[in-house]
């Protein structure tokens, strides 16, 4: 992240805090802190937090032993006060002393540890605690063009892994063996970290969040492969393809796969700025339901993605949020026949001025992988 981006984010977050009538945000290690400062701080028992007041200068409070790491991060290039506390200091009293004197409302990081929330509340007994996420999600779900570029690069990287699936996925190998090869390839493709590797063969494919098992892939198995990682700049990838190993899959599978593909295509053709998040879900669900698989599409259509794999906006019934240019999310309908097999097709897409751009581009047509042949 370039310094001007971070400065701009701090400024926008400060404005949003003021507009929300909140006196200060307290942001602890995690995606929000990385979003605002570029600092990928370790989540430790010792308190690290950014105190961002509605008015005035933000301060990063860090344990003394973490100060070098903080300054070595993009924080070092930001004009940001870094205040270190010693092992016998009370970091909560210190943070409380930095708050504006008239503070009545403090917004705490959604992922702040409960022990830290309670210690801070005790140190600022007159203040009400609210969630910082209500302020920050408005910023984080509207990506800048630099963020879209980062997510596009993440898409290219995970596509490079799917492109090589035929090298690894074949009958006779266990999901775990295939998964190990995929994990290595995720790093080789440019990710800094592997976030998840799902290889769900045959009946395991009917569980949307199956990960890896020792089950050996059989000829004709449908195999759901959902993989993702985090790039060095913090942005995440996530893409699912469903393959067939070695031989022709069951007819029942072929029947619903074509329905699934039609639904996913229709959702991608429909999604654009100005339509609601829930309507994107409905468009796919209507097609799948009309074909008789409504009960088998047992999750929402998608989730936003950025510095976290799952963030707002959620593409789900009940979310009336109007999509906007710059919002990035997955379109990933699935059909799961309990105990038999399943399928999911997932692309990350970004809302553009004329529809959406898919950030994942590998083929979605049913392909029989036969690396042995
Ligand atoms: Zn996803
Ligand atoms: Zn996924």
């Amino acid at each position: 992240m370039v310094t001007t981006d971070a400065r701009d984010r701090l400024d926008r977050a400060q404005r949003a805090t003021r507009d929300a009538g909140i006196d200060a945000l307290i942001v602890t290690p995690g995606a929000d802190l990385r979003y605002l400062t570029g600092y990928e701080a370790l989540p430790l028992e010792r308190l690290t937090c950014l105190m961002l007041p509605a008015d005035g200068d933000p301060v990063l409070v860090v344990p003394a032993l973490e100060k070098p790491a903080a300054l070595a991060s993009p924080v070092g290039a930001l004009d940001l006060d870094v205040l270190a506390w010693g092992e016998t200091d009370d970091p909560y009293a210190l943070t409380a002393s930095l708050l504006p004197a008239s503070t009545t409302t403090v917004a705490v990081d959604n992922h702040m540890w409960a022990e830290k929330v309670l210690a801070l509340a005790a140190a600022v007994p007159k203040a009400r605690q609210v969630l910082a996420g209500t302020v920050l999600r408005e910023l984080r779900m509207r990506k800048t063009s630099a963020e879209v570029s980062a997510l596009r690069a993440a898409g290219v990287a995970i596509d490079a892994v799917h492109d090589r699936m035929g090298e690894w996925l074949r009958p006779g190998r266990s999901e775990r063996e295939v998964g190990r090869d995929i994990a290595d390839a995720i790093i080789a493709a440019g990710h800094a970290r592997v976030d998840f590797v799902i290889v769900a063969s045959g009946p395991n494919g009917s569980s949307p969040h199956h990960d890896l098992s020792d089950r050996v892939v059989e000829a004709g198995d449908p195999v759901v492969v959902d993989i993702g990682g985090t790039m060095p700049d913090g942005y995440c990838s996530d893409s699912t393809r469903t393959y067939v190993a070695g031989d022709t899959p069951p007819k029942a599978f072929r029947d619903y796969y074509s329905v699934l593909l039609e639904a996913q295509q229709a959702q991608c053709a429909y999604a654009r700025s100005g339509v609601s998040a829930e309507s994107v879900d409905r468009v796919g669900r209507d097609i799948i339901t009309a074909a008789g698989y409504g009960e088998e599409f047992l999750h929402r259509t998608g989730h936003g993605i950025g510095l976290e794999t799952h963030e707002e906006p959620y593409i789900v019934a009940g979310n009336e949020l109007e999509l906007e240019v710059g919002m990035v999310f997955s379109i990933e309908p699935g059909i799961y026949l309990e105990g038999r097999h399943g399928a999911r097709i997932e692309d990350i897409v970004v809302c553009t001025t004329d529809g959406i751009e898919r950030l994942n581009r590998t083929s979605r047509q049913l392909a029989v992988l036969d690396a042995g042949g």
Side-chain angles (χ1 to χ4, degrees):
M1 181 168 70
V2 292
T3 310
T4 48
D5 274 359
R7 200 70 241 180
D8 181 53
R9 290 178 190 182
L10 283 170
D11 290 346
R12 283 189 291 142
Q14 189 162 49
R15 267 199 306 278
T17 301
R18 202 156 48 224
D19 292 348
I22 292 165
D23 297 299
L25 298 189
I26 303 292
V27 183
T28 44
D32 284 333
L33 185 64
R34 193 163 190 188
Y35 178 80
L36 292 171
T37 67
Y39 181 28
E40 189 183 10
L42 291 171
L44 302 168
E45 76 286 5
R46 294 183 179 94
L47 180 70
T48 289
C49 70
L50 174 72
M51 194 287 295
L52 180 67
D55 291 289
D57 293 328
V59 180
L60 183 67
V61 175
V62 297
L65 76 171
E66 298 296 329
K67 191 176 180 185
L71 292 175
S73 82
V75 163
L78 277 175
D79 182 24
L80 184 66
D81 285 340
V82 178
L83 191 58
W85 56 273
E87 290 285 68
T88 57
D89 296 339
D90 177 350
Y92 299 96
L94 176 69
T95 304
S97 73
L98 299 171
L99 293 169
S102 60
T103 294
T104 56
T105 308
V106 175
V108 297
D109 194 310
N110 286 34
H111 300 296
M112 193 168 173
W113 295 4
E115 62 184 31
K116 295 188 167 71
V117 175
L118 295 180
L120 182 70
V124 197
K126 293 206 172 70
R128 190 170 66 102
Q129 324 279 322
V130 297
L131 291 175
T134 50
V135 170
L136 294 175
R137 74 172 175 219
E138 299 297 322
L139 277 60
R140 283 184 49 196
M141 74 181 169
R142 296 176 176 88
K143 267 67 177 181
T144 62
S145 60
E147 290 184 283
V148 172
S149 298
L151 287 160
R152 195 179 283 119
V156 168
I158 207 69
D159 281 2
V161 180
H162 271 299
D163 272 335
R164 295 180 57 195
M165 203 57 60
E167 295 176 35
W168 314 305
L169 181 55
R170 59 176 174 271
R173 300 194 79 206
S174 72
E175 293 173 356
R176 211 176 296 286
E177 287 174 292
V178 176
R180 214 173 287 137
D181 289 334
I182 291 173
D184 288 346
I186 288 174
I187 299 298
H191 295 87
R193 194 169 67 219
V194 177
D195 292 331
F196 53 92
V197 175
I198 295 175
V199 179
S201 66
N204 291 338
S206 65
S207 167
H209 276 175
H210 173 81
D211 52 2
L212 296 170
S213 77
D214 291 319
R215 184 180 184 276
V216 174
V217 177
E218 293 173 18
D221 273 351
V223 186
V224 179
V225 178
D226 186 352
I227 53 179
T230 301
M231 299 292 278
D233 60 12
Y235 287 84
C236 299
S237 66
D238 182 8
S239 178
T240 309
R241 292 292 181 261
T242 300
Y243 301 94
V244 174
D247 201 357
T248 313
K251 178 174 183 312
F253 171 80
R254 292 199 308 272
D255 288 347
Y256 69 77
Y257 188 85
S258 60
V259 173
L260 182 66
L261 183 58
E262 183 195 342
Q264 206 260 1
Q265 303 276 30
Q267 289 176 299
C268 289
Y270 167 83
R272 61 188 54 247
S273 67
V275 307
S276 66
E278 67 175 358
S279 68
V280 176
D281 181 81
R282 195 184 319 120
V283 162
R285 202 166 297 278
D286 282 352
I287 290 171
I288 289 171
T289 302
Y293 301 102
E295 296 283 307
E296 284 72 32
F297 179 11
L298 42 84
H299 54 69
R300 66 190 177 208
T301 283
H303 53 82
I305 186 168
L307 289 169
E308 288 176 290
T309 308
H310 287 191
E311 57 182 51
E312 305 226 20
Y314 292 100
I315 311 301
V316 62
N319 186 4
E320 295 169 6
L321 176 84
E322 195 173 289
L323 298 176
E324 294 174 29
V325 171
M327 288 185 177
V328 181
F329 49 89
S330 69
I331 294 186
E332 51 174 311
I335 295 176
Y336 310 92
L337 266 50
E338 197 181 343
R340 296 173 67 189
H341 35 67
R344 182 164 64 257
I345 303 170
E346 173 180 27
D347 292 316
I348 303 303
V349 307
V350 53
C351 279
T352 63
T353 50
D354 59 348
I356 53 121
E357 173 192 341
R358 296 200 207 215
L359 304 185
N360 298 109
R361 308 207 168 179
T362 60
S363 172
R364 298 163 202 90
Q365 299 300 321
L366 204 51
V368 176
L369 298 179
D370 188 8

